[in-house]
Amino acid sequence: FLYFIEKEKKKKPPSSTFTQMEDDMNAVVECYKAKCSAEGVKTNTGLVKILKEDLVGTSELDLGKCLLGGKGCRIALEAVGEHWDRVEKVSVAQSFLEDNDMIPIIRILEDYSCITSLDISGNPVTDATLPFLKALCEGVCLLYLNTTNTFLSEGAAKSLEELVESNDLQDDPETRSVATKRSRQSKTRKEGKEGLQLLCMAAGGSLCY
């Protein structure tokens, strides 16, 4: 299903703020490169270009363009999440992600306090991801979720659609703040990592961290 809420275009930030954002993004890039080196993964030059040139001026992160695969997407989202808290839209569309790839990605996105939009279309994920997607929808108040061309059952897709519609009815952009959304997170990143082995095993996968 597709459910989309148009967002108001953001004004260009003041020069001092923009400089700080560039510094933050440089930290993201260095963190990404370090994580790739530590895990023996080749740095994706296309992603580095997106991080350096595109993400500073937008709130959207499209990893589907980069063909990163499961480990690459996880590393990228970890690096962005640790140094950048302005991402509202994330896409991992057509990234060849299976259940044991998607579950840790969803867990990482629980710490993305501003996220309102997620595109996982074109990935062979099944109903094993449903409880984690539901928790994400409820925890960060997703207003858009694209699950087309996945292996989710009709019933699973319908239940997610209802959650997103419910979030839209309850959402108030004038009063919703980052602090409020952070308080709705039920677990910290550390707790998520410590419990990830059990989560992956519950979905029939292997340890992904």
Side-chain angles (χ1 to χ4, degrees):
F1 67 89
L2 295 175
Y3 193 76
F4 182 63
I5 305 297
E6 283 289 341
K7 291 293 180 182
E8 215 176 277
K9 290 185 178 179
K10 292 188 174 182
K11 297 179 181 178
K12 187 175 180 180
S15 57
S16 59
T17 302
F18 194 80
T19 300
Q20 180 60 54
M21 291 167 69
E22 286 185 316
D23 290 342
D24 291 345
M25 192 47 59
N26 286 333
V28 172
V29 171
E30 292 308 310
C31 181
Y32 168 66
K33 290 180 177 179
K35 287 179 178 291
C36 285
S37 177
E39 298 204 32
V41 175
K42 185 178 179 180
T43 300
N44 187 291
T45 55
L47 175 60
V48 171
K49 183 177 183 294
I50 288 174
L51 295 177
K52 284 187 173 181
E53 299 179 10
D54 299 337
L55 193 55
V56 171
T58 181
S59 60
E60 184 172 356
L61 179 60
D62 186 355
L63 300 182
K65 300 176 180 178
C66 302
L67 302 176
L68 295 172
K71 183 179 286 188
C73 284
R74 173 177 60 77
I75 291 173
L77 289 169
E78 283 179 342
V80 172
E82 290 175 15
H83 297 277
W84 190 260
D85 62 359
R86 302 172 180 89
V87 177
E88 294 181 5
K89 300 177 182 179
V90 173
S91 173
V92 291
Q94 299 179 356
S95 296
F96 310 103
L97 306 178
E98 298 182 354
D99 292 338
N100 62 338
D101 301 312
M102 188 66 73
I103 289 171
I105 286 172
I106 295 170
R107 298 291 292 151
I108 291 169
L109 292 176
E110 289 183 354
D111 287 331
Y112 276 53
S113 60
C114 293
I115 188 172
T116 59
S117 170
L118 176 61
D119 186 348
I120 64 170
S121 62
N123 289 296
V125 295
T126 71
D127 286 6
T129 62
L130 180 60
F132 306 98
L133 286 168
K134 281 186 172 181
L136 181 67
C137 286
E138 295 170 344
V140 298
C141 197
L142 283 184
L143 303 180
Y144 169 80
L145 178 61
N146 185 352
T147 63
T148 57
N149 298 320
T150 66
F151 294 158
L152 285 168
S153 66
E154 183 177 349
K158 180 64 176 176
S159 65
L160 290 169
E161 180 180 11
E162 291 172 351
L163 273 176
V164 172
E165 290 177 342
S166 175
N167 286 344
D168 176 38
L169 293 174
Q170 297 176 29
D171 184 60
D172 183 357
E174 296 301 318
T175 60
R176 180 162 50 97
S177 66
V178 171
T180 299
K181 296 185 76 174
R182 284 189 187 280
S183 70
R184 296 175 65 181
Q185 304 290 336
S186 59
K187 294 183 179 180
T188 63
R189 183 182 300 278
K190 180 178 179 181
E191 291 170 334
K193 288 181 178 179
E194 290 175 345
L196 188 56
Q197 183 174 10
L198 292 177
L199 293 171
C200 290
M201 291 175 64
S206 57
L207 181 60
C208 304
Y209 263 100

